[in-house]
Amino acid sequence: MVEIVRPNAQRIGALIQGTAGRSYVGFNMDLGIDPGVSRHGENARKSELMAEAGMLAHLALQSATSNAAKPLGEWESQGSLEVGKLADVVAVADNPIETSSLMRNVPCVMKAGAVVKAPRGLPSMR
């Protein structure tokens, strides 16, 4: 974490501790990348922390995936698996709602319908 950002992140963290489990009608929770707060590539840990703070596991996972399309104004074209929408898909070995740490090591990634990261034995389609 960048040292200049750490005090603010700790202050905000203390203020929101315990709020993740509350129900907010019409409230869209997105997981931000906050590059000054955590290292690049550690976003999966943030959804784990949200669940540890009381957010339902499936909502924490959605905050890191489909929810981002809404505030970007892109919900009509992406953000869910539906015919005609753009989608990036990841595959993990088990249920990420039950074991959120699975999202730290994703063995298979599809971007816009093409396999861009594949486990051994499955050909990549880059």
Side-chain angles (χ1 to χ4, degrees), residues 76-101:
E76 296 300 318
S77 63
Q78 55 191 308
S80 62
L81 293 176
E82 296 179 51
V83 174
K85 284 190 172 185
L86 297 173
D88 298 341
V89 181
V90 299
V92 293
D94 207 341
N95 185 343
I97 294 172
E98 294 174 5
T99 311
S100 61
S101 62

Side-chain angles (χ1 to χ4, degrees), residues 30-35 38 43 46 50 63-64:
D30 301 335
L31 183 138
I33 58 168
D34 302 323
S38 61
N43 296 4
K46 290 182 184 179
M50 291 166 83
S63 76

Side-chain angles (χ1 to χ4, degrees), residues 49-74:
L49 292 170
M50 291 166 83
E52 287 173 17
M55 180 179 271
L56 297 174
H58 75 281
L59 296 177
L61 186 58
Q62 285 177 349
S63 76
T65 56
S66 61
N67 285 3
K70 293 173 187 172
L72 294 173
E74 298 292 336

